[in-house]
Amino acid sequence: MRKVPVNLGIIMDGNGRWAKKRGLPRQAGHVTGAQVFRKITKYCEKCGVRYLTVYAFSTENWRRPQDEVNAIMNLLRQYLKESLSDFQQENIAVRFIGNREELAEDIRLLIEEAEQSTAHKTGMTLNIALNYGGQQEITAAARKLAQRVAAGELDAAAIDETMLEKALYTEDQPPVDLILRPSGEYRLSNFLIWQSAYAEYVFMDVLWPDFKEEDLERAFEEYARRDRRFGGV
């Protein structure tokens, strides 16, 4: 039996480069990447992954050309509408992590509807990191605790790692076991900084729109070979 991570994070990277290699607009890469996302998400659930977090749009991605940002947001709208029926057939609970305040109102409403309609699911939890940054997440968690201290609800000396962890977006989830990044890049890019403190990393030289189930299985095989000691001997 293969060893599958309980908690998996995927940095979906390479959409723009995939399109450029084919002489297509960057938006075409995002469209194909979204199709791959659906396929890999369902495959992860069937493999026994319990928590999957995908990096969909970072806090830094707003710096991209406006037409590309607009295309990504329109793809998100389409995905949210389709997911209300698409994922109903799957035992997947959908959650969104990140700062929603900067998103358009219609997107925020669709997010709430997607979360509420799948909240009863008991299978895999899918976290979609949208307008997300790991540093910003930790800052927001620290601000939450500081507000409680200022209100007299909490003694600052009582704050520990567990308390801060419970103030994160992923408060009720275990630490990340494996971070997977296709596209040939070798960096974390502000993704799940706290949660991946002891995660294993697998970097693959394949652009996300070309990513297949076989690539995921290769990543699982590499993960199974790792000796995870968590600071011990």
Side-chain angles (χ1 to χ4, degrees):
M1 294 179 65
R2 69 190 188 288
K3 182 179 180 183
V4 175
V6 172
N7 195 336
L8 170 66
I10 299 180
I11 301 174
M12 303 184 295
D13 191 24
N15 293 339
R17 278 172 285 162
W18 180 90
K20 185 178 179 180
K21 282 174 63 177
R22 289 160 176 76
L24 301 171
R26 290 176 62 87
Q27 292 91 322
H30 294 304
V31 170
T32 304
Q35 295 168 354
V36 173
F37 154 69
R38 282 191 177 87
K39 179 175 65 176
I40 294 300
T41 294
K42 294 178 181 180
Y43 189 74
C44 283
E45 199 275 332
K46 290 177 173 60
C47 286
V49 174
R50 293 294 300 168
Y51 301 91
L52 170 64
T53 303
V54 294
Y55 210 0
F57 191 86
S58 76
T59 50
E60 292 76 27
N61 286 155
W62 293 108
R63 302 171 189 165
R64 294 187 176 188
Q66 191 58 50
D67 60 341
E68 182 176 351
V69 171
N70 292 341
I72 292 172
M73 290 300 152
N74 286 332
L75 265 178
L76 175 63
R77 287 183 175 92
Q78 180 183 340
Y79 160 73
L80 286 167
K81 292 172 183 175
E82 292 176 356
S83 70
L84 293 173
S85 59
D86 187 30
F87 277 125
Q88 294 305 320
Q89 307 304 317
E90 311 293 331
N91 194 19
I92 298 174
V94 182
R95 287 175 53 174
F96 287 80
I97 63 174
N99 183 359
R100 304 181 186 185
E101 294 177 6
E102 298 176 3
L103 301 174
E105 183 180 3
D106 66 313
I107 291 179
R108 294 199 303 268
L109 292 173
L110 285 168
I111 283 173
E112 291 173 10
E113 187 176 357
E115 289 181 330
Q116 291 171 6
S117 67
T118 61
H120 65 285
K121 300 296 182 73
T122 58
M124 186 179 78
T125 296
L126 168 63
N127 302 311
I128 299 178
L130 182 65
N131 195 24
Y132 172 88
Q135 293 176 331
Q136 291 81 356
E137 177 183 26
I138 295 170
T139 300
R143 190 179 296 119
K144 267 189 212 175
L145 297 178
Q147 289 169 347
R148 292 182 58 193
V149 171
E153 301 172 0
L154 178 65
D155 181 359
I159 298 175
D160 57 11
E161 291 89 344
T162 300
M163 194 172 292
L164 195 147
E165 192 169 82
K166 289 188 177 300
L168 299 173
Y169 296 128
T170 55
E171 56 180 313
D172 55 349
Q173 299 177 15
V176 175
D177 298 304
L178 172 64
I179 296 285
L180 169 61
R181 181 168 191 163
S183 83
E185 301 291 352
Y186 295 84
R187 55 180 176 270
L188 195 55
S189 296
N190 203 16
F191 180 57
L192 299 179
I193 294 174
W194 180 282
Q195 298 89 333
S196 63
Y198 278 99
E200 298 295 323
Y201 294 85
V202 173
F203 300 99
M204 307 183 80
D205 194 15
V206 52
L207 300 175
W208 178 248
D210 289 326
F211 196 85
K212 298 179 174 57
E213 292 93 335
E214 293 83 358
D215 298 306
L216 186 63
E217 288 291 350
R218 286 196 295 118
F220 288 165
E221 289 171 7
E222 175 60 30
Y223 170 73
R225 288 193 288 269
R226 304 286 177 87
D227 180 17
R228 306 185 72 200
R229 297 185 296 277
F230 301 97
V233 178

